[in-house]
Amino acid sequence: MSRPYPPVDYTGYLKVDQLTQLQKPKGEEYGTPVHDEMLFIVIHQVYELWFKQILFELDSVLEIFSRDRIAEQDMLHCSSRLERIIEIQKILVDQVKVLETMTPMDFLEFRDFLVPASGFQSAQFRQIENKLGLINRLTYNNKDYIESLCPMQQPTVRATESEPSLFTLLEKWLERTPLISDGSFDFWKSYKEAVEARQKDSREAIKTAGLDKATESSHLKNLEHMERSFESIFDKNEYEKLQKEGHWRLSRKALSAALIIHLYREEPLLQAPFRLLTQLQNVDENFTQWRHRHAQMAHRMLGAKMGTGGSSGHKYLRAAGERHKVFSDFFNLATFFIPKSHLPEIPQSLKAKIQFRY
Ligand code: HEM
């Protein structure tokens, strides 16, 4: 039987020979080999390979989300690819441990060889951030992060700043959710009534709980605070003011859709969107975890020394971990969830549209 394809072997297919020739410790070049430099190079290369795979998956999700309509089958593909990114991220966080088998003293043996190179110059990491939709990046030394990258890579990374990011495409997709513009259901009006009923019940519960005066007053204050928070999303102008001030990033229309998806996530048509929003939160959370883990490791290796790239070291990294989040709105959204028992009923006509019948 003739084979349609020529035979291949493991080494040739995977280019193992080339791959294993790519580790060139500076210590060997300078005639002062340092044992731990090999690990340092291998682990960075492994990270870059995983970044490559994340970009590959992310590009596919972006392509699907850039379409005017997303078919249910494609939602499944998006979810599977995001799930893969999430699993890779877990490895990214976990393998910091391998690097920590190198002690700070071992690191000092070759650290001077590296200046001014830094992970800050990882073009693939910056592309992932931009493609996800990171904005308002922290800077240090008043320099645009692009300037730190190798000149050849700068145009590719710059281009990802103006391409539609996952955040932007997701916002558009949420705005298209049919539920919020369905004539039979005025979501905000019904939700406001439901929230008011819930707040009334909570006030009653606090007043009849037999709490001491100080505790009662603290609970009531918290309730008033919640009422003001709710007002800020019920009122379109107030929401837009907060959005301009940077408290919210999503448009109010997109935020409404995300809220509806969470509240009514059990409805058959909302299950896939709910899974997707949850996965995006996981992706964001996992990168934050990686940033914190990496900052902790840098602290352990450097103490208060500055980074090879010129930042304040672990302090910069911690601050970036706090600030460099893309989907914070989805986290803040939980403030506005109320229990299922208090949710407004979806009208039957609309319910029929969002259920599958066999
Ligand atoms: C001994 C190990 C390491 C130390 C001490 C360290 C330290 C640092 C420091 C201090 C910075 C801030 C920029 C600077 O001043 O250089 C930085 C940035 C960065 N490092 Fe590392 N790093 C280490 C290993 C790694 C590894 C294995 C990776 C994997 C790719 C990595 C990826 C990054 C990235 C992506 C940034 C930019 C982070 C941002 O700007 O938010 N680092 N690193």
Side-chain angles (χ1 to χ4, degrees):
M1 197 176 87
S2 71
R3 287 168 49 92
Y5 309 110
V8 286
D9 66 24
Y10 179 89
T11 310
Y13 178 63
L14 297 172
K15 310 266 181 279
V16 180
D17 280 346
Q18 289 96 318
L19 194 63
T20 52
Q21 288 305 308
L22 296 174
Q23 298 71 39
K24 307 279 182 213
K26 284 283 168 199
E28 281 174 23
E29 189 184 323
Y30 301 148
T32 48
V34 181
H35 181 85
D36 283 29
E37 195 184 351
M38 182 59 87
L39 171 72
F40 189 79
I41 293 175
V42 168
I43 204 155
H44 277 86
Q45 290 181 341
V46 170
Y47 269 109
E48 288 293 337
L49 281 176
W50 281 131
F51 292 162
K52 179 171 178 159
Q53 188 65 34
I54 290 178
L55 279 170
F56 189 70
E57 304 299 340
L58 199 51
D59 278 340
S60 150
V61 174
L62 284 166
E63 190 278 314
I64 294 173
F65 264 84
S66 60
R67 298 179 197 158
D68 290 338
R69 287 179 69 88
I70 305 174
E72 280 301 305
Q73 294 89 323
D74 289 325
M75 284 295 283
L76 180 75
H77 290 140
C78 283
S79 268
S80 313
R81 282 154 208 180
L82 287 173
E83 203 51 46
R84 185 171 293 159
I85 293 177
I86 290 165
E87 290 305 321
I88 294 173
Q89 288 177 308
K90 290 183 194 164
I91 297 175
L92 299 189
V93 175
D94 224 33
Q95 70 186 21
V96 172
K97 277 191 259 176
V98 181
L99 191 55
E100 282 181 341
T101 60
M102 172 178 83
T103 69
M105 288 298 284
D106 296 328
F107 183 40
L108 271 184
E109 290 300 305
F110 64 93
R111 186 173 185 244
D112 288 350
F113 303 158
L114 314 175
V115 180
S118 163
F120 198 77
Q121 298 164 325
S122 168
Q124 292 201 100
F125 188 76
R126 297 304 178 209
Q127 286 179 68
I128 295 173
E129 289 181 332
N130 291 344
K131 281 172 189 265
L132 284 175
L134 181 72
I135 49 170
N136 297 331
R137 215 183 238 102
L138 267 183
T139 53
Y140 60 78
N141 302 336
N142 286 328
K143 252 175 53 183
D144 184 343
Y145 75 98
I146 288 271
E147 288 175 39
S148 313
L149 303 180
C150 140
M152 293 256 290
Q153 292 172 322
Q154 291 182 8
T156 314
V157 178
R158 187 64 94 197
T160 57
E161 286 177 2
S162 43
E163 287 163 9
S165 68
L166 189 55
F167 179 93
T168 317
L169 296 174
L170 186 92
E171 183 178 47
K172 290 212 176 91
W173 171 75
L174 283 169
E175 286 173 350
R176 294 199 301 267
T177 300
L179 268 181
I180 39 173
S181 51
D182 186 277
S184 64
F185 188 42
D186 183 341
F187 170 69
W188 281 119
K189 183 170 173 287
S190 315
Y191 199 54
K192 192 166 188 277
E193 286 164 10
V195 167
E196 282 164 1
R198 160 90 178 149
Q199 295 289 94
K200 197 166 157 247
D201 287 356
S202 303
R203 191 175 297 276
E204 269 311 300
I206 294 169
K207 288 197 165 155
T208 53
L211 302 169
D212 63 74
K213 276 281 158 233
T215 315
E216 184 185 298
S217 147
S218 134
H219 280 288
L220 288 173
K221 262 203 192 114
N222 182 44
L223 206 62
E224 280 163 26
H225 176 74
M226 282 298 297
E227 272 161 13
R228 282 198 299 279
S229 299
F230 270 111
E231 276 312 314
S232 70
I233 61 160
F234 289 149
D235 183 330
K236 192 168 171 286
N237 295 331
E238 183 61 19
Y239 183 86
E240 282 166 5
K241 190 171 146 252
L242 288 176
Q243 198 190 14
K244 275 199 191 98
E245 288 168 5
H247 298 290
W248 291 108
R249 188 170 166 199
L250 282 172
S251 70
R252 184 165 175 271
K253 198 171 179 195
L255 190 92
S256 323
L259 186 57
I260 293 174
I261 290 169
H262 274 276
L263 298 178
Y264 299 103
R265 68 198 181 289
E266 288 162 5
E267 298 298 334
L269 214 66
L270 298 184
Q271 289 179 13
F274 171 69
R275 195 171 318 123
L276 189 98
L277 295 189
T278 307
Q279 286 174 322
L280 290 173
Q281 272 187 289
N282 291 347
V283 169
D284 215 27
E285 190 169 276
N286 286 348
F287 271 125
T288 303
Q289 263 188 35
W290 182 83
R291 288 179 199 278
H292 284 305
R293 190 68 188 87
H294 170 263
Q296 199 179 25
M297 181 266 297
H299 193 185
R300 178 184 182 131
M301 295 292 173
L302 305 176
K305 292 182 191 120
M306 52 189 284
T308 42
S311 79
S312 61
H314 78 93
K315 283 203 182 131
Y316 158 78
L317 294 171
R318 272 187 218 285
E322 277 312 298
R323 174 142 150 193
H324 291 177
K325 296 174 183 169
V326 177
F327 298 106
S328 298
D329 284 358
F330 293 153
F331 289 79
N332 292 329
L333 199 58
T335 317
F336 306 103
F337 295 168
I338 59 170
K340 199 174 160 186
S341 55
H342 281 72
L343 286 183
E345 280 277 326
I346 302 178
Q348 275 311 318
S349 57
L350 181 56
K351 221 170 163 77
K353 286 191 206 162
I354 59 173
Q355 282 187 342
F356 304 126
R357 283 159 202 276
Y358 297 99

